[in-house]
Amino acid sequence: MAAGLAASTATGLWAGSAVAAPKKGGTFRWGIHDGNTSDTHDPGTYVTRQMIFLAHQYRSYLTMINPDNSLGPDLATEWKATPDAAEWTFMLNKNASFHSGKPVKAADVVASMNHHRGDATTSAAKSLLTDVTDIVADGDHAVTFKLARGNADLPWLMTDYHLAICPANADGTIDWKSGDGSGPYKIDDGEFGVSWALSRHDGWHGEGAWFDKVTMIVLNDPNARQTALVTGDVDCISLVELKTLALLQRSPNIKVDNVPSGAAITMPMFCDTAPFDNVDVRNALKLSMNRQEIIDKIAFGAATMGNDFHIAPVQPYFPAEIPQREYDPDKAKSLLKKAGAEGLSVSIHTADSVFSGAVDMCVLYSEHAKAAGINLKVVREPNDGYYSDVWLKKPFTAVSWGSRPTPDVMFTLAYKDDAAWNESRWKNPRFNELLLQAKSELNDTRRAEMYHEMSLLMRDDGGTIIPFFNNFVFARGKNVMHGPDLAASWACDGARAPSRWWFA
């Protein structure tokens, strides 16, 4: 694509598949985790699963992650770049319309992207568009992005869940408050933190949207969520309680999907706050975790071990040759002594809504850390408001990250020195220098070498512990069908279950 190749609108999703063809009808009841009453429709503030899952139903993006994890079209039918990847043009679907009946035009795309740009923006996605110098409409159905330097990943970046396309206002801002969108389903009614009622958008420009209606129900409590599926009150749940995974799998009325992914559990430490401002303390805490035991006892095997750099084995440019960090409390003790921090006592903040078993994970970690002489106090926070009141505010937390399509997107969002979501407040000049170089590097070998060095910097100097990359483990009633592949970008088929699945 960096050479100017176009993407076809045809996906051939069901070609050659043994799965029965989808059929329309019914109300899909979806029990989801991680929803707060403080959530909003502002795409710049998207952070919880409620906001992300809902956005993929009622709003559209320029591109999307297909079930086979390839890049496919959404509002854009094709895209091409100049040879240096410093200018990209996206052609828009002429049949796309908002739920209000207004056609989707290039001006809506320009306004939606500018919502995340400029000094005044409060969007968490601002760092993703830093290199964009201008976005211009070419008529009603073409948009050109002009960049200060090449970005080979720009079409992939357009799948980021913040970059939803909203209707433009006359002044160039966007109408995000009304909840108008151009996605497969339109909002009929709803309340953040409670539930949402949606119905099929007859003007949907894409494939799917097989259900007549969709009901999203926020069920933060894992027991309530799983009980709702077992009793038939919902047709699908977005996160299975792993403690009872084996029992659930034995039910003849339930199907469990267990999908390896690039989603990660992170434990960021504020690198500008004592005692985490000392790299020896940070590495001592990394060495004080028995990751294999956490995967066995907390994730019940449904995870891949992390190595404190944010690239999973299923993702491009994974540096497999970097040695795995092992549990070594004696070395941790030595580092603490070197740092003058023997008998270290710190708190880690977490909540059940982070992921199923998050609190238990931190408690087990605290037991591991005792062998290094560390007193790790686990602070259990309320589920509601965790990402608004705890994350980015407390100096040591547990966090759940969805998968990002490329290392550049993940690094730009959470590890770039000035990123709004730089959750560890880590600032490494060499890392940021390499990040800029790799972004525009079209030679795959050289790009891989850069990501290798960046991963080492994250592992040995960074402020983030990554215990594991968690599988997406979700479940559905036996009458809920899907295709042969499931996207690994988010739970429930890249958060698009309602538009991709159907009832038997």
Side-chain angles (χ1 to χ4, degrees), residues 218-290:
V218 177
L219 298 170
N220 286 327
D221 180 78
N223 293 325
R225 193 166 55 246
Q226 203 142 303
T227 298
L229 179 65
V230 171
T231 58
D233 291 328
V234 297
D235 301 299
C236 172
I237 57 174
S238 61
L239 183 65
V240 165
E241 172 58 66
L242 296 178
K243 291 178 181 178
T244 56
L245 174 59
L247 182 63
L248 199 64
Q249 287 174 319
R250 291 199 292 267
S251 172
N253 297 317
I254 293 172
K255 301 291 184 182
V256 176
D257 294 300
N258 194 335
V259 183
S261 77
I265 301 302
T266 66
M267 294 179 173
M269 303 169 270
F270 284 176
C271 293
D272 60 356
T273 303
F276 310 116
D277 55 350
N278 188 305
V279 66
D280 291 322
V281 170
R282 299 198 295 269
N283 284 331
L285 285 162
K286 295 173 184 178
L287 290 163
S288 298
M289 174 184 288
N290 187 329

Side-chain angles (χ1 to χ4, degrees), residues 31-220:
I32 65 167
H33 69 291
D34 185 28
N36 298 330
T37 56
S38 57
D39 294 347
T40 78
H41 285 309
D42 180 357
T45 69
Y46 286 169
V47 61
T48 68
R49 298 308 188 276
Q50 174 183 221
M51 288 191 273
I52 295 164
F53 290 175
L54 182 62
H56 283 82
Q57 313 323 312
Y58 82 102
R59 284 179 170 159
S60 299
Y61 297 79
L62 284 180
T63 57
M64 72 165 71
I65 304 297
N66 289 326
D68 65 357
N69 293 310
S70 63
L71 185 67
D74 191 344
L75 283 171
T77 57
E78 59 181 300
W79 45 91
K80 58 184 179 180
T82 54
D84 61 357
E87 187 170 303
W88 286 87
T89 298
F90 294 82
M91 301 302 296
L92 304 183
N93 192 318
K94 296 180 180 179
N95 297 318
S97 66
F98 290 105
H99 303 150
S100 59
K102 174 182 176 291
V104 178
K105 296 184 178 181
D108 301 305
V109 175
V110 173
S112 296
M113 294 299 159
N114 284 338
H115 181 70
H116 308 279
R117 301 177 63 224
D119 294 337
T121 183
T122 57
S123 172
K126 177 181 179 179
S127 61
L128 292 178
L129 302 176
T130 300
D131 290 336
V132 176
T133 59
D134 200 10
I135 307 173
V136 295
D138 181 7
D140 285 341
H141 298 104
V143 177
T144 297
F145 289 70
K146 299 180 180 181
L147 291 80
R149 56 182 65 83
N151 187 341
D153 287 346
L154 190 72
W156 287 92
L157 188 150
M158 291 297 110
T159 68
D160 183 82
Y161 59 88
H162 297 96
L163 304 182
I165 306 305
C166 301
N169 294 317
D171 63 356
T173 61
I174 57 171
D175 169 22
W176 59 261
K177 293 182 180 179
S178 68
D180 190 13
S182 58
Y185 293 94
K186 58 184 178 181
I187 296 175
D188 296 326
D189 192 19
E191 181 182 351
F192 282 110
V194 183
S195 65
W196 296 91
L198 305 98
S199 58
R200 185 191 297 120
H201 172 38
D202 292 333
W204 168 236
H205 55 273
E207 296 182 5
W210 308 111
F211 302 112
D212 294 331
K213 296 180 181 295
V214 174
T215 302
M216 289 178 56
I217 307 166
V218 177
L219 298 170
N220 286 327

Side-chain angles (χ1 to χ4, degrees), residues 328-366:
D328 193 340
D330 290 333
K331 186 174 181 180
K333 274 185 178 180
S334 175
L335 288 174
L336 290 176
K337 184 176 181 179
K338 177 183 173 185
E342 293 173 289
L344 179 69
S345 181
V346 294
S347 296
I348 185 166
H349 302 258
T350 187
D352 288 321
S353 61
V354 172
F355 81 97
S356 180
V359 175
D360 291 339
M361 174 189 69
C362 291
V363 171
L364 183 56
Y365 176 27
S366 71

Side-chain angles (χ1 to χ4, degrees), residues 246-450:
L247 182 63
L248 199 64
Q249 287 174 319
R250 291 199 292 267
S251 172
N253 297 317
I254 293 172
K255 301 291 184 182
V256 176
D257 294 300
N258 194 335
V259 183
S261 77
I265 301 302
T266 66
M267 294 179 173
M269 303 169 270
F270 284 176
C271 293
D272 60 356
T273 303
F276 310 116
D277 55 350
N278 188 305
V279 66
D280 291 322
V281 170
R282 299 198 295 269
N283 284 331
L285 285 162
K286 295 173 184 178
L287 290 163
S288 298
M289 174 184 288
N290 187 329
R291 299 162 201 249
Q292 188 59 58
E293 188 174 17
I294 284 177
I295 290 174
D296 292 342
K297 293 184 177 179
I298 304 301
F300 295 87
T304 303
M305 189 177 296
N307 202 15
D308 301 332
F309 53 81
H310 210 137
I311 308 178
V314 298
Q315 294 177 300
Y317 303 107
F318 175 71
E321 63 278 12
I322 294 180
Q324 174 64 50
R325 173 165 278 138
E326 303 290 347
Y327 178 49
D328 193 340
D330 290 333
K331 186 174 181 180
K333 274 185 178 180
S334 175
L335 288 174
L336 290 176
K337 184 176 181 179
K338 177 183 173 185
E342 293 173 289
L344 179 69
S345 181
V346 294
S347 296
I348 185 166
H349 302 258
T350 187
D352 288 321
S353 61
V354 172
F355 81 97
S356 180
V359 175
D360 291 339
M361 174 189 69
C362 291
V363 171
L364 183 56
Y365 176 27
S366 71
E367 290 299 315
H368 299 157
K370 287 179 181 178
I374 299 172
N375 176 27
L376 182 61
K377 295 172 285 187
V378 179
V379 180
R380 185 175 192 156
E381 302 281 0
N383 290 326
D384 190 32
Y386 182 80
Y387 284 103
S388 59
D389 302 332
V390 179
W391 180 56
L392 301 179
K393 292 181 172 60
K394 300 295 177 67
F396 194 16
T397 58
V399 183
S400 174
W401 280 91
S403 179
R404 297 306 190 278
T406 66
D408 177 71
V409 175
M410 188 68 243
F411 294 171
T412 301
L413 273 174
Y415 298 92
K416 190 171 182 285
D417 53 1
D418 60 352
W421 284 359
N422 182 354
E423 58 182 0
S424 65
R425 301 183 183 177
W426 181 53
K427 296 183 179 181
N428 184 291
R430 176 58 178 164
F431 178 90
N432 287 283
E433 177 187 359
L434 287 167
L435 182 62
L436 289 177
Q437 293 175 9
K439 188 185 296 288
S440 58
E441 178 57 66
L442 298 179
N443 182 294
D444 233 25
T445 300
R446 288 199 292 269
R447 204 175 193 201
E449 291 171 352
M450 293 176 188

